[in-house]
Amino acid sequence: MPPGRAAPRRIPRPVGSAAMIEHICVTCGTQFAPTDGPPPSCPICDDPRQYVPPSGQAWTTLGDLAADRANALRDDGGLTGIGTEPHFAIGQRALLVPYGSSNLLWDCVSLVDDATAAAVEARGGLAGIAISHPHYDSSMVEWARRFDCPVHLHAADAEWVMRPDPAIDFWEGDTLELDHGVTLIRGGGHFPGGTILHQGERLLTGDIIQVIPDRTHVAFMWSYPNLVPLADAEVQRMAAAVGAFEFDALWGAWWGTVIPGGAAEVVRRSAARYSRALRGDP
Ligand SMILES: [Zn+2]
Ligand SMILES: [Zn+2]
């Protein structure tokens, strides 16, 4: 930890009281505000854009997560990815977006520990965090406190924040211009505040725009686990929102979901195919 950085805040525990712990949902990876027992349910997993497994709602904590998992940092299509191994919850990897002499963390993962913080600091640290949608809120507040930086979150998804914190900067409207050529675009679709990051030739989409396995197309859904599609008009609106920006490469939410070139045409072609499919002619 560099000089001047505060150690992660520990909640003082009065003698004899129950432990106040931030629980983490095992299925979606979201960290909740501290409670003295597991929360009654996970609203994010109760929502039909996620799911509760047949085995029922389960919880863990940052400490338990750190005991048997670690974060890997490695190149993913020219950006440094950060992902937890072995696989945890939804299994997304976050990305470090170059941001002057520092980085912007795009999306987030549940685990943050000393080794991760040191590895990120060695790459310039974090100046901010931007999140695509509530499924990747994960432990964003824990990260924000670790790196003393803000979290940029679209206000339309504020109701899904399970650990409110002053570090969260809610933005409104269709775009938010940050520094170093970064623009956050409200894509909507999967979630009303569904956010996409643009910088130079790059478009980072989380699963607001989903990269499909052979990398020749992308797809758009309201619920991925429940396979519920979006209305065609919403998909065409999303495609137009990102089509207003020039980009060549596109990063999805998981390791290797990268379209290295020609991604603007891939998005156009995929939105057109979506439209045809809904008319019965894919
Ligand atoms: Zn959950
Ligand atoms: Zn999602």
Side-chain angles (χ1 to χ4, degrees):
M1 186 173 300
R5 283 273 156 76
R9 199 184 72 163
R10 305 271 180 240
I11 306 292
R13 186 192 308 171
V15 175
S17 78
M20 293 289 280
I21 294 176
E22 297 89 355
H23 288 78
I24 295 174
C25 171
V26 168
T27 308
C28 71
T30 304
Q31 188 191 47
F32 282 57
T35 46
D36 60 8
S41 64
C42 173
I44 293 175
C45 287
D46 284 344
D47 176 80
R49 286 164 287 189
Q50 245 292 108
Y51 65 98
V52 178
S55 52
Q57 176 66 45
W59 303 96
T60 186
T61 64
L62 200 53
D64 286 348
L65 207 52
D68 54 10
R69 285 181 174 81
N71 283 336
L73 282 81
R74 58 175 179 268
D75 178 78
D76 198 12
L79 294 174
T80 298
I82 305 174
T84 303
E85 296 177 348
H87 176 107
F88 176 68
I90 297 174
Q92 78 277 8
R93 57 96 180 87
L95 291 165
L96 291 178
V97 177
Y99 202 71
S101 60
S102 185
N103 300 280
L104 191 74
L105 184 69
W106 170 246
D107 280 330
C108 200
V109 296
S110 303
L111 176 60
V112 56
D113 55 11
D114 291 344
T116 306
V120 171
E121 290 292 358
R123 288 163 169 82
L126 290 189
I129 301 168
I131 305 272
S132 64
H133 72 298
H135 293 155
Y136 302 149
D137 284 359
S138 60
S139 296
M140 60 183 177
V141 169
E142 202 74 39
W143 282 78
R145 290 184 176 193
R146 233 344 143 138
F147 292 93
D148 191 21
C149 69
V151 182
H152 305 289
L153 214 61
H154 200 284
D157 294 336
E159 67 182 291
W160 300 104
V161 171
M162 295 298 134
R163 186 183 175 186
D165 193 271
I168 302 173
D169 163 45
F170 290 108
W171 64 279
E172 297 180 20
D174 290 332
T175 56
L176 176 68
E177 286 193 23
L178 298 174
D179 294 331
H180 307 293
V182 170
T183 304
L184 301 182
I185 306 164
R186 191 185 77 84
H190 181 35
F191 273 83
T195 297
I196 291 165
L197 184 151
H198 177 261
Q199 183 192 45
E201 292 296 302
R202 303 183 182 116
L203 198 71
L204 280 56
T205 64
D207 59 5
I208 301 308
I209 296 177
Q210 182 87 265
V211 177
I212 56 90
D214 73 3
R215 317 291 191 263
T216 65
H217 285 78
V218 293
F220 316 82
M221 297 284 269
W222 182 74
S223 172
Y224 293 99
N226 290 292
L227 302 174
V228 181
L230 286 164
D232 186 40
E234 179 71 352
V235 169
Q236 302 314 315
R237 192 196 55 71
M238 293 170 72
V242 299
F245 292 80
E246 286 190 12
F247 59 93
D248 192 45
L250 187 151
W251 281 256
W254 289 273
W255 290 115
T257 57
V258 181
I259 298 171
E265 176 55 25
V266 167
V267 171
R268 272 193 295 274
R269 197 167 66 221
S270 302
R273 181 173 79 167
Y274 189 96
S275 224
R276 289 197 306 276
L278 288 195
R279 293 197 306 268
D281 178 25

